[in-house]
Amino acid sequence: MFKNLDAIALGLSATQSETVELALSFGFRSIDVDLADFAKEVKTYGLPKARRLLDSAKLKIGTFPLPIDWQGEAGFDAELSKLAELAGLAASLGARRTLAVVAPANDERPYHQNFEFYGQRLTQLGKALAEHGLQLGVGFDPSPAAREGKTFEFVRDLDALLVLLSTVHSDNIGLWLDVWQVWASGASLDEARGKLTRGQVVAVSLSDADRDQSEPRQPESRRLPGETGAIDCAGLLRRLGELGYDGPVTPVPGSNLSAMRRDQIVKLTGERLDAVWKAAGLNPAGKLASSTAK
């Protein structure tokens, strides 16, 4: 696994060149990109010029948000056509992982119908992305605000998401493991670690949390990995190492860093991630330094 920098997750407004410089300065091996924005640069400047910074820095692309509207009833065929073009661009950049979140409620379909809808929709996405060697990591949203005012509730915890993913007939569709979301849903992190299997996880977002156990757990309670110990970030990384996970690990704090300078935020984030990395027994290449991998 490797350390990934998502500038947006850190609350930073930075150009591609600034993000590359920050990643190189503070020990990150990859960065996230907005593929739709990158496509605009390619259209304006051409692919070689648009990608030259990434090439010269020798940075990987960690993940990018799925760049289409994939959850609507109408217009999906047109969105798939759009995805084919953008997925080809992603593949040419060496990007291999895209991310999406299943809506936790809707006004159109009750649970069982929605379950079938998403199983079919994710299977279609998997087929389209597989043609370009891409994986899709799927996450969930447990926040009450995301369900407020909706008629039908849907997937909003890890167990339900894993059941949904088990119905998808595409090997390149897997789990976007946002550790804070698992914690916020009220699940036991020890139990969650035990449910992870080899080859299942596409991407990891890593956060600690406030020790305040008030409900509901709000996004503002996110903290940098290892900051409070409310979430066992090192234990999770160790488990991922045992499973041979080889993807990006992206630190995601809350909004408590906004008073700091941009370089200070990335420096502190890198230091926190390094600390839990070492506590997990991982070497710089992201593999378990001992012989405990299974």
Side-chain angles (χ1 to χ4, degrees), residues 172-203:
N172 60 328
I173 304 293
L175 175 65
W176 173 13
L177 180 61
D178 185 328
V179 181
W180 187 88
Q181 299 286 30
V182 176
W183 176 84
S185 72
S188 162
L189 270 297
D190 287 337
E191 291 181 6
R193 283 201 301 266
K195 293 171 182 174
L196 301 179
T197 58
R198 185 174 293 272
Q200 176 189 51
V201 180
V202 172

Side-chain angles (χ1 to χ4, degrees), residues 25-262:
S25 298
F26 299 110
F28 292 89
R29 292 177 55 201
S30 65
I31 62 172
D32 281 355
V33 299
D34 185 315
L35 192 62
D37 285 348
F38 197 92
K40 293 176 184 176
E41 291 189 28
V42 170
K43 187 174 182 179
T44 302
Y45 303 110
L47 181 59
K49 186 173 183 179
R51 62 176 292 170
R52 73 182 189 278
L53 283 173
L54 289 171
D55 290 341
S56 62
K58 297 182 179 179
L59 287 171
K60 300 179 182 181
I61 292 178
T63 68
F64 60 94
L66 187 66
I68 63 168
D69 177 7
W70 66 283
Q71 301 188 74
E73 288 279 6
F76 184 59
D77 288 343
E79 293 295 318
L80 277 181
S81 297
K82 177 182 173 183
L83 179 62
E85 180 180 350
L86 290 171
L89 174 60
S92 73
L93 296 172
R96 292 291 179 263
R97 296 171 172 87
T98 184
L99 304 178
V101 174
V102 172
N106 73 96
D107 291 321
E108 294 79 32
R109 299 173 298 273
Y111 196 100
H112 67 285
Q113 292 180 7
N114 213 24
F115 203 88
E116 182 177 354
F117 171 84
Y118 274 99
Q120 294 174 351
R121 187 60 57 93
L122 288 169
T123 297
Q124 290 175 282
L125 287 173
K127 181 178 179 181
L129 292 168
E131 293 178 2
H132 301 278
L134 271 60
Q135 295 177 283
L136 172 62
V138 183
F140 67 91
D141 183 351
S143 64
R147 307 189 303 274
E148 188 175 356
K150 300 294 184 181
T151 306
F152 304 111
E153 292 195 358
F154 193 51
V155 168
R156 56 187 176 93
D157 59 35
L158 180 62
D159 285 344
L161 179 59
L162 292 179
V163 173
L164 174 62
L165 293 178
S166 72
T167 71
V168 177
H169 303 297
S170 295
D171 293 339
N172 60 328
I173 304 293
L175 175 65
W176 173 13
L177 180 61
D178 185 328
V179 181
W180 187 88
Q181 299 286 30
V182 176
W183 176 84
S185 72
S188 162
L189 270 297
D190 287 337
E191 291 181 6
R193 283 201 301 266
K195 293 171 182 174
L196 301 179
T197 58
R198 185 174 293 272
Q200 176 189 51
V201 180
V202 172
V204 174
S205 293
L206 196 64
S207 307
D208 208 335
D210 282 343
R211 287 198 168 275
D212 178 15
Q213 299 297 308
S214 60
E215 300 291 345
R217 295 169 174 177
Q218 301 294 336
E220 293 78 14
S221 70
R222 280 191 191 258
R223 293 292 178 265
L224 285 170
E227 186 172 337
T228 69
I231 295 175
D232 183 7
C233 294
L236 175 73
L237 291 180
R238 191 176 307 115
R239 176 58 179 162
L240 291 169
E242 292 170 354
L243 294 172
Y245 173 66
D246 63 356
V249 177
T250 307
V252 183
S255 58
N256 57 317
L257 304 178
S258 57
M260 300 173 64
R261 293 197 319 265
R262 183 166 56 195

Side-chain angles (χ1 to χ4, degrees), residues 12 22 26 260-268:
L12 305 180
L22 289 166
F26 299 110
M260 300 173 64
R261 293 197 319 265
R262 183 166 56 195
D263 61 322
Q264 292 175 324
I265 291 173
V266 181
K267 181 176 185 291
L268 177 61

